[in-house]
Amino acid sequence: MPTWLYGTDRRSAPESEREFAKAIHHLPRSFTVLWRYYYRDSQRGDLVREGDFIIQGPDGHLLVVECKTSGLSFNKSSYQENGKSIDDPTEQLFAQRRWVSVQAKERFGNHSPFISGVIFLPQLIAPLGDVQAIHGIPREYLIGLQESK
């Protein structure tokens, strides 16, 4: 089991976050998982937002994960999650990656780790390569429940 760090109370986490946490519980202890953290979105006037997961692998590389429910939909020019308007998930992911990148650069200088990011959609079953985008989000930024195990 990985080493878990909790930024906020995980009991109030959305189901998609709980599903992702359950899917990655098998990772070895050499992985560290930060679940629910706060960051400043520099593109939005330093608005404080909540991120879902940051996973550090044994090689020091970082993976930023933004979880969305199966209720994610795209309608003309806006995104909704379970009927509620939300920001573009890719913009959310990129804001989190920017913040993590700044933190890593401040801490490690020119030796910053590789940082990647994905959006977790629990119900996603489209194999990589078969579909170019889902809800306007490029497929390479998406992982489903089966891919996260």
Side-chain angles (χ1 to χ4, degrees), residues 75-101:
N75 185 8
K76 296 185 182 178
S77 63
S78 67
Y79 284 90
Q80 294 194 342
E81 189 170 19
N82 297 324
K84 179 183 166 196
S85 290
I86 62 167
D87 292 337
D88 179 335
T90 52
E91 289 179 17
Q92 292 177 29
L93 177 64
F94 294 157
Q96 290 171 50
R97 277 182 42 192
R98 275 191 302 275
W99 180 82
V100 169
S101 181

Side-chain angles (χ1 to χ4, degrees), residues 65-77:
V65 181
E66 172 65 25
C67 296
K68 293 297 172 196
T69 67
S70 56
L72 180 69
S73 63
F74 183 71
N75 185 8
K76 296 185 182 178
S77 63

Side-chain angles (χ1 to χ4, degrees), residues 1-4 21 24-33 55:
M1 182 191 299
T3 301
W4 289 87
I24 64 169
H25 80 280
H26 69 282
L27 290 172
R29 188 152 186 80
S30 56
F31 283 78
T32 301
V33 178
I55 302 171

Side-chain angles (χ1 to χ4, degrees), residues 4-60:
W4 289 87
L5 305 171
Y6 305 102
T8 64
D9 186 2
R10 68 185 188 272
R11 292 175 294 191
S12 62
E15 186 174 340
S16 60
E17 289 181 30
R18 291 192 309 268
E19 284 183 73
F20 184 74
K22 185 177 178 182
I24 64 169
H25 80 280
H26 69 282
L27 290 172
R29 188 152 186 80
S30 56
F31 283 78
T32 301
V33 178
L34 173 60
W35 184 4
R36 306 197 96 201
Y37 60 94
Y38 289 105
Y39 70 97
R40 292 191 179 276
D41 186 344
S42 60
Q43 303 293 313
R44 299 258 175 135
D46 278 341
L47 177 70
V48 175
R49 303 185 74 156
E50 186 175 64
D52 299 336
F53 292 90
I54 299 173
I55 302 171
Q56 182 180 30
D59 57 4

